[in-house]
Amino acid sequence: MRIHVVDHPLVAHKLTTLRDKRTDSPTFRRLADELVTLLAYEATRDVRTEQVDIESPVTATTGVKLSHPRPLVVPILRAGLGMLDGMVRLLPTAEVGFLGMIRNEETLKAETYATRMPDDLSGRQVYVLDPMLATGGTLVAAINELIARGADDVTAICLLAAPEGVEVMERELAGAPVTVVTASVDERLNENGYIVPGLGDAGDRMYGTAG
């Protein structure tokens, strides 16, 4: 597994505002959207392309376009949904699947409650969206589901990561074709499994605590 921490002043600036507890939900959603687009730029550096011949207004030339099968973007509900617009803005031709997972707050383990993805992901590049790589359980479960369906190139895009979660993923997904792209690897997890300093519960901060 590879992990890539995006070191850029705009990333750090937006992340600082996301961390601030005074940032309201509308501002949080907007900044998260903008930050995801910056992370997606790095995450898609190795997106598969193929050569194409075109005519410019001046002359014939050669360029590239995204290869088929098209990339698949999979937000993990519910918080990952707040990252979707920022991702598809950069990859408008990508297809979108959904994976509903929730963390059991007693066991800290991920439980799946909904899936909407192709059965066969062979040859597909898949981009998984989950704001927080905390304990690692949710992403490990999600990526194992994708690999079981044949995905051979998976990139997880996270706003933040904890060292403990990174360690779990490196152990549980050893040898798997996985890359993690994040704005920061923070200090640690607290006793409740939240990232420190983190930014709180990303889903609650995006959408409120309803439900």
Side-chain angles (χ1 to χ4, degrees), residues 10-21:
L10 288 179
V11 169
H13 167 71
K14 295 179 189 300
L15 181 56
T16 298
T17 307
L18 288 174
R19 292 190 193 275
D20 192 333
K21 66 180 182 181

Side-chain angles (χ1 to χ4, degrees), residues 72-76 95-101 112 114-121 124 126-128 141-149 151:
L72 181 70
V73 177
V74 181
I76 298 179
E95 295 182 349
V96 178
F98 295 94
L99 186 56
M101 306 191 80
T112 302
T115 57
R116 179 80 175 180
M117 296 185 295
D119 292 330
D120 185 5
L121 297 177
R124 301 286 290 268
V126 183
Y127 297 90
V128 184
I143 291 171
N144 277 332
E145 174 69 23
L146 296 170
I147 291 173
R149 295 177 185 233

Side-chain angles (χ1 to χ4, degrees), residues 14-28 31 197-201 204-205:
K14 295 179 189 300
L15 181 56
T16 298
T17 307
L18 288 174
R19 292 190 193 275
D20 192 333
K21 66 180 182 181
R22 298 170 297 179
T23 301
D24 60 22
S25 289
T27 304
F28 191 97
L31 287 173
L199 47 76
D201 185 297
D204 287 350
R205 296 199 64 193

Side-chain angles (χ1 to χ4, degrees), residues 28-43:
F28 191 97
R29 286 195 298 270
R30 176 177 58 81
L31 287 173
D33 177 81
E34 294 172 0
L35 180 54
V36 169
T37 299
L38 293 173
L39 296 179
Y41 180 80
E42 292 295 329

Side-chain angles (χ1 to χ4, degrees), residues 19 161-163 185-191 194-199:
R19 292 190 193 275
V185 177
D186 277 9
E187 297 173 11
R188 58 183 174 86
L189 293 178
N190 66 14
E191 61 278 4
Y194 285 91
I195 299 175
V196 178
L199 47 76

Side-chain angles (χ1 to χ4, degrees), residues 1-181:
M1 191 191 83
R2 297 187 301 135
I3 183 159
H4 176 45
V5 179
V6 179
D7 181 16
H8 191 284
L10 288 179
V11 169
H13 167 71
K14 295 179 189 300
L15 181 56
T16 298
T17 307
L18 288 174
R19 292 190 193 275
D20 192 333
K21 66 180 182 181
R22 298 170 297 179
T23 301
D24 60 22
S25 289
T27 304
F28 191 97
R29 286 195 298 270
R30 176 177 58 81
L31 287 173
D33 177 81
E34 294 172 0
L35 180 54
V36 169
T37 299
L38 293 173
L39 296 179
Y41 180 80
E42 292 295 329
T44 56
R45 187 173 294 277
D46 295 323
V47 69
R48 295 169 185 163
T49 60
E50 59 188 42
Q51 185 172 298
V52 60
D53 295 324
I54 62 169
E55 293 275 348
S56 83
V58 179
T59 186
T61 188
T62 301
V64 298
K65 65 178 181 179
L66 295 184
S67 300
H68 284 273
R70 290 180 292 174
L72 181 70
V73 177
V74 181
I76 298 179
L77 306 179
R78 72 177 167 148
L81 194 59
M83 303 172 67
L84 181 58
D85 285 349
M87 186 69 191
V88 297
R89 183 177 298 114
L90 207 63
L91 280 178
T93 61
E95 295 182 349
V96 178
F98 295 94
L99 186 56
M101 306 191 80
I102 190 168
R103 186 176 70 165
N104 185 308
E105 295 300 334
E106 294 182 0
T107 65
L108 301 183
K109 293 187 179 297
E111 299 175 353
T112 302
Y113 64 86
T115 57
R116 179 80 175 180
M117 296 185 295
D119 292 330
D120 185 5
L121 297 177
S122 301
R124 301 286 290 268
Q125 285 181 296
V126 183
Y127 297 90
V128 184
L129 309 180
D130 192 13
M132 313 297 282
L133 170 50
T135 63
T138 298
L139 270 177
V140 166
I143 291 171
N144 277 332
E145 174 69 23
L146 296 170
I147 291 173
R149 295 177 185 233
D152 64 358
D153 188 337
V154 179
T155 299
I157 300 176
C158 307
L159 303 182
L160 290 180
E164 295 91 335
V166 172
E167 182 179 344
V168 167
M169 288 190 66
E170 288 176 335
R171 182 177 68 247
E172 299 294 328
L173 298 171
V178 177
T179 300
V180 174
V181 177

